[in-house]
Amino acid sequence: TLLAVPNDPLRYLVLEALKDLGATEHAAILEALIKEPRDSLNPNVLRIKAVDALSTCGSASSIAVVGPYAAGPWNNGLTRKSIDTVAAIGLRVREARDAAKAALLAAYPPPPAQDATDRAKRAVLSIAKHVHKQLEAVTNKKVKFPAAYDEATREKLKAAW
């Protein structure tokens, strides 16, 4: 397979093509690449591209692979891409909806520390709102996002779904 060739730019092109095709028969190969991006000079970018491809190629089992990355740090591009992919799979694959909902609930980020930078505070709030929006899409339910995002409101949000 071309995804085994140790050439990241080539793999990026293959992953874009798989995403465009929505080739669900390749879900297991993409999941394996996310778990272990062998021979990559930039494994995080390779994971981001593979997670993106799973948005159209993923199956219910893909949620278990992508979900932990959806709960990643606010300053990693893989986090938001994983949130989007979990939601896309949940919307496309009926039997994945419960797992997608659970993964998205786990992706609500912890509130930033009081001494966090303004950038970190804005980023965490942005991710929390994005998770919220994706949960609304997956569950077809509306829950009001709180005016203040702290640990207490985070737990209330999780319980509301």
Side-chain angles (χ1 to χ4, degrees), residues 52-111:
D52 195 29
L54 276 179
S55 68
T56 63
C57 300
S59 64
S61 67
S62 303
I63 299 292
V65 175
V66 179
Y69 293 105
W74 64 265
N75 58 350
N76 187 339
L78 180 57
T79 301
R80 190 174 291 259
K81 186 59 70 181
S82 298
I83 292 165
D84 291 342
T85 294
V86 165
I89 294 169
L91 288 167
R92 190 173 43 77
V93 182
R94 178 179 282 287
E95 57 272 8
R97 285 203 182 120
D98 289 343
K101 177 182 169 184
L104 289 169
L105 285 171
Y108 270 120

Side-chain angles (χ1 to χ4, degrees), residues 11-131:
R11 289 195 259 191
Y12 300 161
L13 291 171
V14 172
L15 291 167
E16 287 174 22
L18 289 174
K19 180 184 178 187
D20 290 345
L21 290 171
T24 56
E25 65 273 16
H26 297 293
I29 293 168
L30 295 172
E31 292 167 9
L33 187 61
I34 292 165
K35 289 176 188 174
E36 192 172 343
R38 289 191 175 135
D39 301 319
S40 176
L41 295 177
N42 198 337
N44 198 53
V45 172
L46 187 58
R47 277 191 180 108
I48 290 169
K49 301 278 188 185
V51 164
D52 195 29
L54 276 179
S55 68
T56 63
C57 300
S59 64
S61 67
S62 303
I63 299 292
V65 175
V66 179
Y69 293 105
W74 64 265
N75 58 350
N76 187 339
L78 180 57
T79 301
R80 190 174 291 259
K81 186 59 70 181
S82 298
I83 292 165
D84 291 342
T85 294
V86 165
I89 294 169
L91 288 167
R92 190 173 43 77
V93 182
R94 178 179 282 287
E95 57 272 8
R97 285 203 182 120
D98 289 343
K101 177 182 169 184
L104 289 169
L105 285 171
Y108 270 120
Q114 292 294 341
D115 62 345
T117 65
D118 286 342
R119 178 177 179 243
K121 290 176 183 176
R122 285 191 311 271
V124 168
L125 182 61
S126 174
I127 289 172
K129 287 180 177 180
H130 191 66
V131 166

